[in-house]
Amino acid sequence: MEMEQNAKQNKVLTRTTYAFGAFGHDLFNQVMNSYFIMFVTNHLFNGSDTAANNRMIGIMTTIIFVLRIAELFIDPFIGNTIDKTNTKWGKFKPWVIIGTLISGVCMMLLFSNLWGLTARPFLYLFVFTFIYIVMDIFFSFKDIGLWSMLPALSFDSLEREKTATVARIGSTLGGTIVTVTIIPVILFFSKTNTGGTGDSRGWFIYAAIAAIIAILGALSIGFGTREVDSPLRENKEETGFKQVLSVLIHNDQLMWLSCAYLLYGMGAYLTNSLMLYYFTYVLGHAAMFSILGIANMIIGFLAVSMFPALAKKFKRRNVFVSCIVILLAALSVFAFADQNVWLVIVAGALFNLPQPLIFLVVLMTFTDIVEYGQLKLGHRDESLVLSVRPLIDKCAGAIVTGITGMTAVLAGMAGNAKVADITASNVLTFKLIMVVGPAIAVLLGTFIFLKKVKITEAKHAEIVAELEKTWNQQDDTKD
């Protein structure tokens, strides 16, 4: 009885601390992925020389794009390194803590002019590139370590859903609270109000707050989570660096899911990244962005809380399809919202509603693919397989960062742009990129998911049952 009570308490502690870690993680990620480019386009390079501003914005977005694409080849090896880590604190916790500490400090530096170095553009770009590389690599260690812990916390698909749901509640709150607080907090700490979005001082302080919260969340994971100790997690041999790409390529389900998620992610991220531009330059009501954030926080919390019940009653694939329909409906509302601020808020809230649920469906499918690969390839690679999801997030983020920077320039929304400067042609260009492009990407991703991804809850249960019968025997034959 006492053992059962202790086990229950450990589950509660693991879920709670894991959720707080996810809260800080997505807060950090949202600030860096969705708003750093606006800091660059509107506060870092906002001098009187528009041509020089646009040139530097173009160079910066190109550097970010190239670095993030280059890192796609690094992330699987980061996952492999985590898989081979063996400490008394486990394989995940050290990387979650170290990765958050270093990437947090780097993010604070990136949300600054690096002690006036922007006055010397080439030196600034050199230092910026170095800091961004360090930030991105250590954030990858933290990101991969955090989410690849999930299959190590339980083998039961339903238990994983519960843990993932609590974690996603935390991450959803972390991401949406940025939307609620970013403008009010930045304005509070700003000395001037440039275009309704404060000044560089306010942006730096906000980034520092986000970094500190992320660090506290990582420490909570370090002290509170508990991994499952099972023979099914043991490998006789490590996956060497030369085997990394082979493990990924030969896992067909992993590859198809990755293609589908990349297309979906590009669409969703692009609309999300351009949302604040919409409020600032099309509506002229940057402060109203916080209302959308409050709505998103409430509906996001409710949506994620309902995931276990929805998945149990309708199955994950049906939940996924329903969410895509809602997403496309939201984009349709955006297309006709024009300058009606309340209609835009409704569209934004409707667009946010399905995203946490889609993330959970994708995350659970990636997690279940760990055992699929284990059965098919005869080797268990938790972090290596789970490294693909954040890798795809970064790939989509890199592409979207480039498109966002380009859109800001093409639509006249960079530098010292004012609402009065935005023409009807600018708005049309902006909407085509914000609405039509994402709709096409999401539809293509959905087609691939439904046509090619075969891992369901029932299929995963069959795989685990087969592993329980054969895994130890397979290992014995290798001795």
Side-chain angles (χ1 to χ4, degrees):
M1 186 71 178
E2 186 177 349
M3 290 181 63
E4 289 181 5
Q5 188 174 1
N6 288 337
K8 186 175 180 180
Q9 289 175 347
N10 285 337
K11 285 183 180 180
V12 172
L13 180 62
T14 293
R15 290 175 189 170
T16 304
T17 53
Y18 194 56
F20 182 53
F23 172 87
H25 176 75
D26 263 41
L27 191 154
F28 181 107
N29 192 42
Q30 184 80 339
V31 172
M32 196 68 220
N33 274 349
S34 296
Y35 299 106
F36 177 65
I37 193 64
M38 190 165 197
F39 168 75
V40 171
T41 60
N42 294 78
H43 297 282
L44 196 60
F45 302 112
N46 60 352
S48 58
D49 189 339
T50 302
N53 294 337
N54 291 343
R55 184 168 58 252
M56 287 300 291
I57 290 168
I59 294 172
M60 287 276 287
T61 53
T62 301
I63 289 173
I64 294 171
F65 175 78
V66 171
L67 291 179
R68 303 209 89 175
I69 293 298
E71 200 199 340
L72 301 183
F73 300 96
I74 300 174
D75 276 9
F77 297 97
I78 290 176
N80 182 242
T81 299
I82 295 172
D83 273 328
K84 293 192 288 188
T85 299
N86 184 18
T87 73
K88 65 180 181 179
W89 300 285
K91 65 172 70 172
F92 306 106
K93 296 177 185 179
W95 292 114
V96 169
I97 294 172
I98 294 169
T100 308
L101 284 169
I102 296 176
S103 61
V105 172
C106 288
M107 185 175 78
M108 286 188 276
L109 293 174
L110 292 173
F111 274 89
S112 73
N113 63 9
L114 297 176
W115 301 282
L117 281 185
T118 47
R120 303 169 65 184
F122 290 106
L123 180 58
Y124 170 82
L125 290 173
F126 176 80
V127 177
F128 163 80
T129 301
F130 174 77
I131 294 173
Y132 195 92
I133 289 172
V134 174
M135 185 280 300
D136 216 23
I137 289 175
F138 279 94
F139 179 79
S140 292
F141 270 106
K142 185 268 181 78
D143 194 18
I144 294 168
L146 172 69
W147 293 112
S148 60
M149 288 181 73
L150 191 54
L153 299 177
S154 175
F155 280 93
D156 181 74
S157 191
L158 291 176
E159 179 59 31
R160 286 178 178 178
E161 281 185 1
K162 293 176 183 178
T163 303
T165 298
V166 173
R168 189 54 185 168
I169 288 173
S171 66
T172 298
L173 291 176
T176 54
I177 202 170
V178 176
T179 311
V180 176
T181 60
I182 189 164
I183 295 301
V185 173
I186 286 172
L187 292 178
F188 179 81
F189 287 107
S190 295
K191 292 182 178 179
T192 60
N193 184 8
T194 305
T197 57
D199 60 23
S200 56
R201 179 176 182 268
W203 282 81
F204 171 78
I205 292 175
Y206 192 87
I209 293 170
I212 292 169
I213 292 173
I215 290 168
L216 293 175
L219 291 172
S220 78
I221 286 177
F223 289 106
T225 55
R226 300 290 184 271
E227 296 179 27
V228 171
D229 185 15
S230 169
L232 291 184
R233 294 188 62 214
E234 296 175 2
N235 283 314
K236 292 291 183 180
E237 299 175 358
E238 291 182 343
T239 300
F241 278 176
K242 292 181 179 179
Q243 299 171 279
V244 166
L245 294 181
S246 177
V247 168
L248 298 178
I249 292 171
H250 287 91
N251 191 326
D252 59 298
Q253 289 296 286
L254 181 62
M255 291 295 97
W256 284 120
L257 180 60
S258 299
C259 290
Y261 185 52
L262 175 61
L263 287 164
Y264 159 77
M266 287 168 55
Y269 286 178
L270 182 55
T271 300
N272 287 335
S273 294
L274 292 173
M275 202 83 72
L276 183 53
Y277 286 91
Y278 196 116
F279 276 80
T280 303
Y281 294 107
V282 178
L283 298 178
H285 292 290
M288 296 289 284
F289 191 61
S290 296
I291 295 177
L292 174 60
I294 294 170
N296 284 345
M297 183 182 296
I298 295 170
I299 65 175
F301 176 81
L302 293 174
V304 175
S305 301
M306 293 171 62
F307 177 73
L310 291 173
K312 183 178 180 180
K313 184 172 183 178
F314 301 108
K315 302 303 178 186
R316 294 176 197 159
R317 291 174 74 86
N318 294 326
V319 172
F320 181 86
V321 172
S322 300
C323 287
I324 294 298
V325 171
I326 295 172
L327 204 74
L328 294 173
L331 289 173
S332 300
V333 177
F334 267 124
F336 300 101
D338 293 326
Q339 292 185 312
N340 187 323
V341 64
W342 293 108
L343 195 57
V344 172
I345 289 174
V346 169
L350 193 63
F351 189 76
N352 181 74
L353 171 63
Q355 289 184 56
L357 296 173
I358 292 172
F359 175 88
L360 280 169
V361 172
V362 171
L363 176 62
M364 297 313 304
T365 308
F366 269 113
T367 302
D368 289 351
I369 284 174
V370 170
E371 283 78 35
Y372 172 81
Q374 184 178 359
L375 182 63
K376 180 177 181 178
L377 304 176
H379 204 276
R380 184 175 180 86
D381 299 281
E382 293 167 338
S383 288
L384 176 55
V385 171
L386 269 295
S387 72
V388 176
R389 189 207 53 78
L391 179 153
I392 294 167
D393 281 336
K394 276 188 267 186
C395 180
I399 295 169
V400 166
T401 295
I403 296 173
T404 301
M406 175 193 72
T407 303
V409 173
L410 290 176
M413 299 177 181
N416 289 313
K418 304 290 190 301
V419 177
D421 301 330
I422 308 301
T423 66
S425 177
N426 291 146
V427 174
L428 178 61
T429 299
F430 181 80
K431 280 199 168 185
L432 284 173
I433 298 172
M434 181 181 175
V435 176
V436 179
I440 294 171
V442 167
L443 281 170
L444 288 173
T446 302
F447 176 79
I448 293 173
F449 182 85
L450 295 177
K451 191 76 174 175
K452 293 295 185 179
V453 178
K454 307 298 182 183
I455 299 297
T456 62
E457 296 94 320
K459 183 67 176 176
H460 177 256
E462 292 175 10
I463 291 169
V464 172
E466 183 65 22
L467 283 171
E468 288 174 341
K469 293 177 185 176
T470 62
W471 186 245
N472 289 332
Q473 286 83 344
Q474 288 176 2
D475 286 345
D476 292 340
T477 60
K478 296 177 184 178
D479 292 339

